[in-house]
Amino acid sequence: MRPATATAAAVTTLLGAGAAAVAIGRYAGDAALRASAGRPLPADPRLTVHGTGPGRITLTRCLASLRPGTYGIEGPGVHAVVGPVVPDARHSADTVVRRLVRVTHGALGAGTRVRLTPQLYVGDPRSALGLDHTDVDVPGELGALPAWFLPGARGTWIIAVHGLGTTRAHTMNLMPFLRTQHLPVLGLSYRGDAGAPRPQGGLGHLGDSEWRDVDAAIRHAVRGGAERVILYGWSTGGAMAVHAAVRSPLRDRISGLVLDSPVLDWEATVRALAVARRTPRALLPLAVRAVQGRTGVHGDRLGEAAGPGGLRVPTLVFHGPDDTVAPWEPSRELAGRLPGLVVLQPTPHAPHAAMWNASPAVYEEALRRFLTPLM
């Protein structure tokens, strides 16, 4: 019997069906509600380092370690960056050799346990990239929100918002490119992040309450001289951007959206994260109901975005069929409902919130073409 199934049976025996349903639903729902910033998502497989050499690293062979592109790898006390699979290397049946770009800190030895992450950088824009920035506090609904501000010559600001399983360090992946476009960038931390206010009950709301921190960032940008803003969100950050674009009193200042792996179907994301924590599929409706009951998360995000009073600014969506956390079907439907306004850039072989990682050059060219008329 699987551990989660055995636990469910034991709880049912001891507490009765009603109490067990509540307990199991809460346990399963925690996969999404307590996905704290920087904590690996339960869907991210753990890999073993089998060895390293000059510019190379050997990892456990699996679908994740065979992905094309460039990723961070992290484990206890270690962070590094790996590039594509080395085609001329000798690969065994259970290992794969990738290019080792750099070791940021720590040591990678045989037996080190790591996970892939879309975050290539740690620290801040100055220490990681050599980019001048200012540490600012954005006044938010619950308190001060730490943010990085990178100045630029244009009147249009980018407000960059990370999502599940990452921190604002994820936004640094695109900062070198955005710097070449002379766009000011505000890399935002929001409720639940380190240094930011704690959300009510310590639970995340998958963007349903956090979007108000994006609204606060828009107000901060306007006070700072921004003529317009472009909201750039990954994962739940994408959901926040959509909410803000529809609900913000300052929505007229928003000139465009960039969404990477947006969570447009929160129920599907809750189910995916619960499954990744080995919750039996028969219990998934309990997880969804528990999340809704504990947080008030509700509504049809796709309908909100595509319906009357919904999105009315150009929107670029990066998403792909290999995202197991936020299914890409709602992104395809959004583009189909709003042709000419929403453009979908399909990205195969990319995990959640890692569309840039899979093919940086293709991603940045699509982004450049989209941003140019909005600057």
Side-chain angles (χ1 to χ4, degrees), residues 95-175:
T95 63
V96 61
V97 180
R98 298 186 72 111
R99 186 164 69 89
L100 180 59
V101 178
R102 64 177 180 272
V103 178
T104 311
H105 62 254
L108 291 169
T112 302
R113 298 283 280 170
V114 296
R115 293 179 187 265
L116 292 175
T117 170
Q119 293 188 179
L120 296 196
Y121 303 101
V122 296
D124 59 41
R126 185 175 294 106
S127 63
L129 298 166
L131 298 177
D132 288 336
H133 75 282
T134 303
D135 292 310
V136 300
D137 285 330
V138 174
E141 179 184 53
L142 302 181
L145 306 168
W148 296 317
F149 176 66
L150 282 69
R154 300 189 185 276
T156 298
W157 289 27
I158 300 287
I159 296 177
V161 192
H162 73 87
L164 291 170
T166 62
T167 69
R168 61 173 162 160
H170 188 197
T171 68
M172 287 196 284
N173 285 5
L174 270 297
M175 284 182 182

Side-chain angles (χ1 to χ4, degrees), residues 4-190:
T5 307
T7 300
V11 171
T12 300
T13 300
L14 294 172
L15 303 178
V22 173
I24 295 167
R26 286 192 172 191
Y27 169 80
D30 273 359
L33 298 181
R34 298 191 184 276
S36 58
R39 176 185 176 187
L41 295 177
D44 297 337
R46 297 184 68 188
L47 307 174
T48 299
V49 176
H50 292 266
T52 60
R56 296 188 178 192
I57 184 170
T58 303
L59 298 167
T60 306
R61 177 182 289 266
C62 65
L63 290 176
S65 61
L66 290 169
R67 292 168 182 156
T70 301
Y71 297 86
I73 57 171
E74 59 185 9
V78 63
H79 181 276
V81 177
V82 299
V85 173
V86 179
D88 59 351
R90 295 182 61 183
H91 305 275
S92 71
D94 58 356
T95 63
V96 61
V97 180
R98 298 186 72 111
R99 186 164 69 89
L100 180 59
V101 178
R102 64 177 180 272
V103 178
T104 311
H105 62 254
L108 291 169
T112 302
R113 298 283 280 170
V114 296
R115 293 179 187 265
L116 292 175
T117 170
Q119 293 188 179
L120 296 196
Y121 303 101
V122 296
D124 59 41
R126 185 175 294 106
S127 63
L129 298 166
L131 298 177
D132 288 336
H133 75 282
T134 303
D135 292 310
V136 300
D137 285 330
V138 174
E141 179 184 53
L142 302 181
L145 306 168
W148 296 317
F149 176 66
L150 282 69
R154 300 189 185 276
T156 298
W157 289 27
I158 300 287
I159 296 177
V161 192
H162 73 87
L164 291 170
T166 62
T167 69
R168 61 173 162 160
H170 188 197
T171 68
M172 287 196 284
N173 285 5
L174 270 297
M175 284 182 182
F177 169 80
L178 296 172
R179 181 64 176 267
T180 66
Q181 308 303 303
H182 308 290
L183 290 161
V185 179
L186 189 68
L188 183 69
S189 295
Y190 52 85

